[in-house]
Amino acid sequence: MDATMIKNALKVAKWAAVGVVLVIMFGLAGQSDYEDAVLQEMKNCGAYSELSEAHPDWSEDEMIKAYEAQRDAQ
């Protein structure tokens, strides 16, 4: 391989890595927005306070999972 081919391969690899990082970042941002929306829904209907009183040691992630399981079962 000559130097030009190596340069081009490195450019492609660099932009592929940037693309992967962007996809991961957008995925994390979307997940965060979804969790914020679920927490807001929980607070609006009173489920957040009920779950936090019943399970004070639970994290918000655990409360979201329990709330979704309860909501999906109905």
Side-chain angles (χ1 to χ4, degrees):
M1 287 176 54
D2 64 345
T4 305
M5 289 178 68
I6 293 172
K7 268 185 166 177
N8 288 337
L10 289 174
K11 283 182 184 179
V12 170
K14 176 181 75 172
W15 286 109
V18 168
V20 169
V21 168
L22 286 174
V23 167
I24 290 170
M25 289 175 62
F26 282 121
L28 292 174
Q31 180 65 27
S32 177
D33 287 346
Y34 173 77
E35 290 173 356
D36 289 343
V38 172
L39 285 171
Q40 189 62 45
E41 177 183 328
M42 290 171 61
K43 290 176 181 179
N44 288 341
C45 71
Y48 185 88
S49 60
E50 290 175 13
L51 283 172
S52 63
E53 288 175 11
H55 306 283
D57 57 328
W58 279 10
S59 67
E60 286 184 340
D61 288 336
E62 291 171 315
M63 287 194 289
I64 289 172
K65 288 177 186 173
Y67 175 74
E68 289 178 330
Q70 178 186 14
R71 183 184 63 190
D72 293 341
Q74 293 178 349

